[in-house]
Amino acid sequence: MIVRISRFDPDKDAVPHVETYDVHVASGAHVLNVLDMVRDKFDPTLGYRCCCRAGQCGSCAIRVNGKPVLACTEEARDGDLIESLELPSIQDLITDVTQVVAQIAWLNPRAASLSCGCGVTHETIEEIKPLRECIECYSCVSSCPAYAVSEYAVPTVMRQEQRLNLDPRDVDDRIGEAIARGLFACTSCHKCVEVCPKKIDIPRKAVEKLRIEAAKRGLSLPAHMELARLVEETGRSIERKSTSFLEYVPDVIEPEGEVRATIGFFVGCMFNGRVNQSALDAIEVFRKNGIRVLIPKDQVCCGSPLIRTGLSNFVPELMQRNIAAFVNAGVDTVFTMCAGCGSTLKKDYDTPFRVADITEYLCEVGFVPPTKIAGTYTYHDPCHLLRGQGISKQPRELLRSFVEKFVDMPAHCCGAGGGVKSGFPDEAASIGAVRAEMVAATGADFIVTICPFCEYHLRRVTGLPVKNIATLMLEGYLK
Amino acid sequence: MENRDACHVLVIGSGGAGIRAAIEASTVGETIIVSKTITGKGGCTVMAEGGYNAVLTSEDSVAAHYEDTIKGGAFLNDPALVEILAREAPDRIRDLFAWGAVFDLTCEDKFAQRSFGGQQIPRTCYAGDHTGHEIVMTLLEKLRGSPVEIRDELTVVDLLKDRNVVFGAIVCNREGELGTITADAVVLATGGAGQIYDMTTNSTAGTGDGYALGYRAGAELIDMEQVQFHPTGVVYPYDTRGRLITEAMRGEGGILLNTKGERFMEKYDPSRMELSTRDVIARSIATEILEGRGTEHGGVWLDVTHLPKEQIEIRLPLMLRQFLQFGIDIRTQPMEVTPTAHHFMGGLRITLETQTTLSHLFAAGEVTGGVHGGNRLGGNALADTQVFGFRAGRAAAAVESVAKRKMDTVQIDATEEKISRLYEGQATSAKIRRLMKQIMWNNVGIYRNEFDLKVAERDIAKLRAMPLVISSPREISDAFITENMLLVASLVIDGALLRRESRGAHTRIDIKASWTNETSPFGHTFFSKTRSGIEILEGRL
Ligand SMILES: Cc1cc2nc3c(=O)[nH]c(=O)nc-3n(C[C@H](O)[C@H](O)[C@H](O)COP(=O)(O)OP(=O)(O)OC[C@H]3O[C@@H](n4cnc5c(N)ncnc54)[C@H](O)[C@@H]3O)c2cc1C
Ligand code: SF4
Ligand code: SF4
Ligand code: FES
């Protein structure tokens, strides 16, 4: 098999270069076996780390085709591009991790705990366990958008802060420490979970939990507290400036022609208060596809901005109101067109009805293909749709069916999530700039996405027209 | 040479034993810990899955732990070391717990304990099936919070010695630059040497450097022929062969079947069945395979499909995930297993205070011999690292500080000269290691006989005579390590030839002895630069 390896010799090279090797390995071989083979057959100086060879020590994390993986557990494939993690390079695939290690906190044991039972219970242990499996491979560090552009201390550091916060044996204040290390800079993009070999859910199990603790002590960011106040007072995370969507649409919207199905519409604050047109377009798309849309008027904010920022006191009430609204409407499926609402309803709620993203639903029930639309389009995966809901194929399937030219683009957080845009606008802009470069590389004239926050932010950072997928479909239908 | 350092205690190796020793030593004086890998990730401790043996309940007793260990060890253990192990293992696990270890607890908030092979009473504490990882993470946190100076990726290539006193080490970094670290006392905690075999559970760092470092410095080693083959290693896919399938699989109720569907342990150890000691199970599996009742890939079946799915998911999550990666769902499919080189029971001879036969050189963990005799019980090695790591740190720190020692440039010059010769050598490390692993696997495995051992002796000697070659300084450490491995291989063969009996993990099929383990006239085999042989217990002759 042919593999390409990024080589870097600090004594000779200014920048890394890629070399190609033709190796013979047994079937089922892992990338580490390939590296061994290259070292033994071609170049004994090839630099890489490994130790346990069984996914347990975390020494061997590298990137294969751009994705952080453990070399010892990742199956090797013909054509693989093997690079080091995105950390300071030492030689070839070896990176300098000392800076990161230095930030990982250690437990400061209570003096008395040497003799007593320390108050640790079966429950404590079970609660800490999911945060404890980290093998310090630093894959998450290599891919965290917040770490790349801000003072954010890296995902696994937050994991450790919460692990210690939960432990009665530890005496230190981990909340203050976590805040000092950038607790509010995480965009909740979930990239770290995607690349973690142990699938540790740092944003939910550590960052959000630490933010809750911070909120209890009144240490939340002022911008976040302001938002929480707004939601508590108005049921909405966006100030009412003009007539909102829910105030002027009818409760039931009948489709053109025969009714194929009925669905509830969870509107979300942005579409309700700011970008009504996209929501109207979505309704129109459903009408063209023979689907009746029910819009219960007593629905409120899903609570996502509160949950992500740790100010979740009011969330149970929001949940109860939303669930009641759709149960009373008698629908069995509810669609969202905001990635954040969708992922919140799916992951944080326990709904007696099914929740589906607009593209997920349309691909499932089938859609009338819109007329071809001119121009070059790319698609931005909202983090909360891609990783929050596991949806990436459907939007592409839709787009490919009717845009003239579709150029795919690898996923990357735009920087708008997790309360970062309101809390740290500079960080959001820096992450946005990284994304803008990726967009530019596609040569697309238009960006399509399914999250109003991404849409808004991308428009700012790229200067390109950003379209909601429903709006674009409708353009096709109206042609 | 530029890189010179000095400290009170130098600890070599950052597995369980090394870190524990460094933590202890640092309470007394300046301590440096070096590892050839990133600290903590190095050796086998981080890979240990099953658990840690400690007497913690009133049903259990130190005497029972002692008895199990000696019996499991084929009565080759040093009784005094075993006594210490059994007595202090509970305190050391409590240390770990106080420092934040996330061990599984029962619903009554006590340490959960399960059965491992050769135990009268469930004695093995655990953290899921990543107990070693949990211990290392706990120790690392403690280490990071201590004043110990941590040096990653420095390979010790030789110990510094002044007459009979060890006073530091020559180290080599990734770039091939030599340096020295002098110390009042040195702790060797470099782990085992499974890597001298083709199939092994050990990490890449398990190359037995400590045995070679100690031997070259003049220390005495014992029982090097006692290599434990873990009964259940992965057979397939090829590149994962040898990887460990934890004993917890059997502890939780897994059964072994041959291709005829027979639960063959009924033949070999009907009372203990799959929870017999490792040596017995490894030999039983080897026999089944040799006699043609093995699978296509050369293994037997290990089956947990009769257990509740939740039990597998909660108690064996790592194993479940690992096998799913190979496309095998152990909840519904059996695993193919075969014995694989796992643990070195032999090693440096130590006293109760971990003092080796050289002054100011201490040793702890798998690099030592005597604790486990001829066969180590599952869960006893992790306990060993903590009990003796603690003792080594304390004893080393108690060595009196000496005024600046004069550096013996002869030793350093010799090392530098050896390096310069490497550039003119012929055989690459990769090639030598490949050949060595095959020789050891084929001739010095579970079943041994004089003829095969002699062949191995000759072939390893040939490899040792081949001058190693390197093309850049970055390969220096590797070349030294290859030399170490060959030295260790030859010590294992020497021991296997010296021990003319079957004892523990060492099985000589060409010798029938009239005694039992308990009445054997033989004690330890021993090896040093000046003498080697086997102890004869006069009273038993
Ligand atoms: C897969 C597996 C599972 C196991 N499961 C269990 C279990 O469940 N229960 C149990 O009790 N035991 C178990 N064992 C055995 C146990 O893990 C080991 O015996 C024990 O951890 C050894 O610890 P150690 O500190 O002596 O050495 P190791 O943990 O092996 O550490 C050796 C250290 O020495 C360093 N080193 C080596 N050579 C040099 C050099 N030349 N220069 C500098 N540094 C060097 C390495 O980098 C490493 O840091 C298992 C072993 C394996 C391989
Ligand atoms: S969720 Fe995204 S921003 Fe937050 S820690 Fe993970 S990778 Fe970083
Ligand atoms: S959290 Fe996951 S990805 Fe990050 S260092 Fe730990 S194991 Fe690796
Ligand atoms: S070598 Fe240990 S995780 Fe890959």
Side-chain angles (χ1 to χ4, degrees), chain B residues 452-529:
Chain B
D452 288 349
L453 291 171
K454 287 281 183 196
V455 169
E457 187 179 38
R458 182 198 64 200
D459 291 349
I460 294 290
K462 269 194 216 155
L463 293 183
R464 290 183 74 183
M466 269 190 222
L468 276 166
V469 68
I470 60 171
S471 58
S472 83
R474 291 196 178 113
E475 297 158 63
I476 293 173
S477 299
D478 255 359
F480 278 99
I481 291 169
T482 305
E483 265 188 15
N484 292 342
M485 294 169 91
L486 288 170
L487 172 55
V488 175
S490 64
L491 291 174
V492 173
I493 298 168
D494 287 352
L497 283 165
L498 280 169
R499 187 173 295 286
R500 301 184 55 80
E501 64 172 346
S502 292
R503 189 92 176 268
H506 169 75
T507 309
R508 283 284 299 260
I509 48 173
D510 55 339
I511 294 171
K512 288 270 170 293
S514 56
W515 51 79
T516 64
N517 288 333
E518 219 172 339
T519 59
S520 166
F522 294 126
H524 302 301
T525 52
F526 53 88
F527 322 82
S528 76
K529 281 207 292 206

Side-chain angles (χ1 to χ4, degrees), chain A residues 140 143-147 152 154-156 158 185-193 202-203 207 413 427 431:
Chain A
C140 58
S143 10
C144 171
Y147 169 66
Y152 184 60
V154 315
T156 191
M158 288 303 156
C186 162
T187 69
S188 74
C189 72
H190 279 73
K191 182 73 185 173
C192 50
V193 192
I202 295 175
V207 173
C413 179
E427 178 195 334
I431 298 178

